[in-house]
Amino acid sequence: MSGLLKIGIVGCGAIGSSLAERILSDFRKEAELVGLYDIQIQNVYKLANRFNNMKLVVLNLDDLINKSDLVIEATKAESSLEIAKKTLSLSRDIMIMSVGGIIEHYLELEALAKEKKAHIYIPSGAICGIDGLKATACGRIDSITLITKKPPSSFLGVPYVIKRKIRLDSLTEPTVIFEGDAFSAIRAFPQNINVCATLSIAGIGPYKTKVKIIADPTLKHNIHQIEIESDTGKIITYSENVIHPDNPKTSYLAVLSAVATLKGVFTAIKIGT
Ligand SMILES: NC(=O)c1ccc[n+]([C@@H]2O[C@H](COP(=O)([O-])OP(=O)(O)OC[C@H]3O[C@@H](n4cnc5c(N)ncnc54)[C@H](O)[C@@H]3O)[C@@H](O)[C@H]2O)c1
C-alpha cells in the first residue's frame, strides 16, 4: 500500500465517523485510513466495527500520530491545540476541525509547522466566502460581521447559556443570545461557533471580527451570514446548512468541506483562492 497518504482520525463522533467513511469510499486510490482514536474508546470500537476492520483501533494519541502522515482532528475545542502541537512536533500534517481551540495560538502553530516542514489544513467548515475573504485580505478590510442563527437545541448545555439563565425551551421567537467580538464568542460558545475562528484567521483576527448569535425556534437549519466591507467593495454570503444527523451542533457542510480540502491535497488543479 506504499505511496498512499496515511490518514489517522482523532475523534470518532459525527465528523470523524463521516470522514472515515468518505476516506474509505472516495480516496481509495490516494489515501489509506490507518487508525482511529477517541478518548471514549467505545466510539473507536463502534466505528472500526462498522467498517469490519478492528486493525483501525488505536488506543492512544501518540500511536495514532506515529502511524499517520496526516492527522484529522475532530474532537472538541479544549483538545485541538494539544493534538495539533503533538502532531506538528512529529512533522505530521494536521487538519483541524475544532478551530475555536487554536484561535489564541494559530501563529505559534504556523511557526511550528514551518519549522517541522508540516502543514495545517483548516477547512472552510460550515461557511461560504473564505475564498473572497482571502482575496480581500490582500487589500484593506474595513469590517467583518458574522450572524449565526441556529435552532435553540444547538445551544443546550452551553455554560454561557446556563449562566445567563437563557430558557432555550421557552423561546417563541428569534432571540439574540450573544453579540460581541469573535474572541468572546469562541470563549462563550467553543463548540458552536468554530466558523468565527476560521473567519478570524482568514481575515482580520478575533478581536476585530464581529459576531451575533441568534437562537431561532422556527429554524430547522443552521444559518451563517457573513458581511465583509473592504476597499474592493462589499461581500455578503448566506449559507443555510442541513444539520448533521448525529450532532445538532454540527452542519453537514463542515464534513463536506473537509472532504473537499482532502481532495485539494490530491488534485493537480487548484481552483479558487
Ligand atoms: N470547522 C467547522 O466549521 C466545524 C463545524 C462543526 C463542528 N466543528 C467542530 O468539530 C469537532 C467535532 O465535531 P463533531 O460534530 O464530530 O463532535 P462530536 O461530539 O460528535 O464528536 C467528537 C468526538 O471527539 C471525542 N473526543 C473529545 N475529546 C477528545 C480527545 N481529547 N481525544 C480524542 N477524542 C476526543 C468525543 O469522545 C467524540 O466522540 C467539534 O469541536 C466541533 O465543534 C467544526
Side-chain angles (χ1 to χ4, degrees), residues 152-267:
S153 62
S154 300
F155 302 107
L156 282 173
V158 174
Y160 174 92
V161 170
I162 296 168
K163 206 169 153 194
R164 276 167 184 69
K165 297 188 171 56
I166 300 168
R167 293 282 312 276
L168 293 167
D169 52 354
S170 61
L171 296 182
T172 52
E173 56 185 41
T175 305
V176 176
I177 58 171
F178 176 90
E179 205 164 1
D181 64 35
F183 184 78
S184 314
I186 294 158
R187 282 263 162 107
F189 298 84
Q191 295 304 128
N192 302 77
I193 196 85
N194 286 283
V195 291
C196 77
T198 307
L199 200 61
S200 301
I201 293 171
I204 51 176
Y207 300 104
K208 291 189 192 151
T209 305
K210 294 178 214 141
V211 178
K212 191 190 266 194
I213 301 175
I214 297 169
D216 184 343
T218 66
L219 284 183
K220 293 215 164 15
H221 297 105
N222 293 336
I223 292 174
H224 297 294
Q225 183 169 325
I226 297 166
E227 296 179 11
I228 302 164
E229 301 210 29
S230 75
D231 59 354
T232 58
K234 190 165 183 163
I235 296 174
I236 299 178
T237 74
Y238 178 93
S239 350
E240 198 170 297
N241 295 339
V242 170
I243 291 167
H244 194 292
D246 298 333
N247 186 352
K249 291 187 170 70
T250 289
S251 298
Y252 192 62
L253 185 65
V255 172
L256 297 192
S257 118
V259 173
T261 302
L262 261 187
K263 259 191 189 169
V265 172
F266 300 119
T267 49

